[in-house]
Amino acid sequence: MELLPPNMGSLAASNSDSVGTIEILKRKSEDVGWEYGELVNAASNNKLRYKLCKKEMYGGINRLKQHIAHIRGNVRPCKRLTPLDREKCKKALKELKKKKVENKERIQEVRDEVHIDNNEDDVVEIDGSTK
């Protein structure tokens, strides 16, 4: 049997040659954080093992990048990294924050353009019936 991560579906049977073996699939993500960590268990999406220091922690890939980038608050800084590793993760976190701010601004612009009148006296006729 082959163990699939929760986001990939349920257990799938394979041929009899692989009975008794468990194969954990990797995440399909281009996030730089996956260079430094891996899932410990395919059944648990949020338990990661950091490749540099072998530390296992619950959290997501952002928490792993904070560990590598030495951003305090949620994690302790990693002691086994190169300055390049630290800068790559810092840059990735900054880009993510920028994208979130841009998305929030875009959503607010759309909300500002839309005006919803909550006047319950209005009757809308759709396909000959009133609603």
Side-chain angles (χ1 to χ4, degrees), residues 42-58:
S44 175
N45 265 353
N46 65 348
K47 187 170 184 182
L48 302 172
R49 179 182 301 115
Y50 303 153
K51 292 178 182 178
L52 297 174
C53 62
K54 305 300 181 201
K55 187 174 189 172
E56 289 184 11
M57 242 193 288
Y58 286 95

Side-chain angles (χ1 to χ4, degrees), residues 28-44:
K28 292 182 180 181
S29 173
E30 299 299 321
D31 195 304
V32 69
W34 291 110
E35 292 178 26
Y36 304 101
E38 58 194 7
L39 289 172
V40 172
N41 181 348
S44 175

